[in-house]
Amino acid sequence: MRRAALAGAAVAFATAVLAACGSSGDGPATAGGTPSGPAASAPAVPAPAVPGPAVTGPSGAPVGDPAGGPEDAETPDLPKVPADEITPATGTFSKPQKEYLTDRVPRGMDPAAVLQTGQETCDRLRYLVKADRDIAVAAVVTGEVADAEPAVAHLCPRHQDLVDEAALGYPDGTHTGAALRPGRYRAPSPTKDCAWRLTGAKGKELAAGSSDTGRPVSLTVPASATAFTSTGCYAWLPEGATR
């Protein structure tokens, strides 16, 4: 079975487990070592559907509606609850949880529901790392695990290395200008329709290739490249990254 299928299966498995069992409480611990969080009576949020690999625009940013949280929570036009007014129905939020919720809770929404989406993001990363670390990083690169950066920063800093590596990778799409970083990259889980192209000044082709094996492939982005286009390769991760 090719790794691209494994990537989708691993993400789907993580989502299914979370939907059946709810959040596992992978949030930060209190000073006494006991995980803190909203009261158990807080309403649950259904596990979001996991989209396919995200296509990117010229800036390299994933295009499309991200999964992983209530849609309203990501709508910038809705007024947000001030940080000093964010409180659960019962109990208290830890400092990291409060920091995660700041500017993320629309008025009228239960902050515990917003917090749960962040905790579920941490849970998905934890399940994916167990399956394959490269798959976990690629899922962040493509946006299959959305909003990983704020969730990891405040709720599960143990996964910061995944976010750091993902920030240096490329999803399928076209990347130009300042978004390009010279170096060696690998696609750990390409489809059998993986193809790529590197161009330089005035559109001159510097390198191109394809793979129909579904096996990992590598390429070098030279300093002279001005555009990098990839289709069917899912995600490219930097080689030599700290692991």
Side-chain angles (χ1 to χ4, degrees), residues 4 15 43 66 72 90 118 124 200 228:
T15 301
D72 288 346
T90 60
R124 279 192 289 273
F228 169 38

Side-chain angles (χ1 to χ4, degrees), residues 7-38:
V11 176
F13 172 75
T15 301
V17 171
L18 292 171
C21 303
S23 175
S24 67
D26 194 28
T30 63
T34 302
S36 61

Side-chain angles (χ1 to χ4, degrees), residues 24 54-55 87 104 107 112 115 119 156 164 180 191-192 201 214 217:
S24 67
V55 177
T87 57
R104 298 180 69 86
R107 286 196 177 277
L115 176 62
Q119 292 172 327
C156 50
D164 291 345
L180 291 179
T191 71
K192 290 187 176 181
V217 292

Side-chain angles (χ1 to χ4, degrees), residues 2-216:
R2 67 172 182 265
R3 290 170 58 109
L6 176 59
V11 176
F13 172 75
T15 301
V17 171
L18 292 171
C21 303
S23 175
S24 67
D26 194 28
T30 63
T34 302
S36 61
S41 61
V45 175
V50 178
V55 177
T56 63
S59 67
V63 175
D65 184 42
E71 183 176 350
D72 288 346
E74 301 303 326
T75 303
D77 295 333
L78 295 177
K80 302 298 191 296
V81 178
D84 58 357
E85 296 179 15
I86 298 176
T87 57
T90 60
T92 59
F93 289 128
S94 68
K95 182 179 178 181
Q97 290 172 336
K98 195 77 171 285
E99 291 173 345
Y100 171 77
L101 292 171
T102 298
D103 295 326
R104 298 180 69 86
V105 183
R107 286 196 177 277
M109 177 173 284
D110 184 353
V114 178
L115 176 62
Q116 186 173 335
T117 64
Q119 292 172 327
E120 288 175 350
T121 293
C122 289
D123 286 341
R124 279 192 289 273
L125 289 175
R126 180 164 54 85
Y127 279 110
L128 291 175
V129 166
K130 287 182 179 179
D132 188 302
R133 186 184 182 282
D134 281 346
I135 288 176
V137 177
V140 177
V141 170
T142 62
E144 286 196 49
V145 174
D147 294 327
E149 184 175 354
V152 167
H154 300 297
L155 305 178
C156 50
R158 72 188 71 177
H159 297 313
Q160 188 61 50
D161 62 316
L162 305 180
V163 173
D164 291 345
E165 185 174 341
L168 302 176
Y170 298 101
D172 275 336
T174 297
H175 312 277
T176 62
L180 291 179
R181 294 173 297 275
R184 188 75 175 166
Y185 294 85
R186 70 187 187 284
S189 53
T191 71
K192 290 187 176 181
D193 297 312
C194 175
W196 64 91
R197 185 170 181 260
L198 288 158
T199 55
K202 298 181 180 181
K204 178 182 178 181
E205 184 175 288
L206 302 178
S210 62
S211 175
D212 61 1
T213 67
R215 297 176 181 175

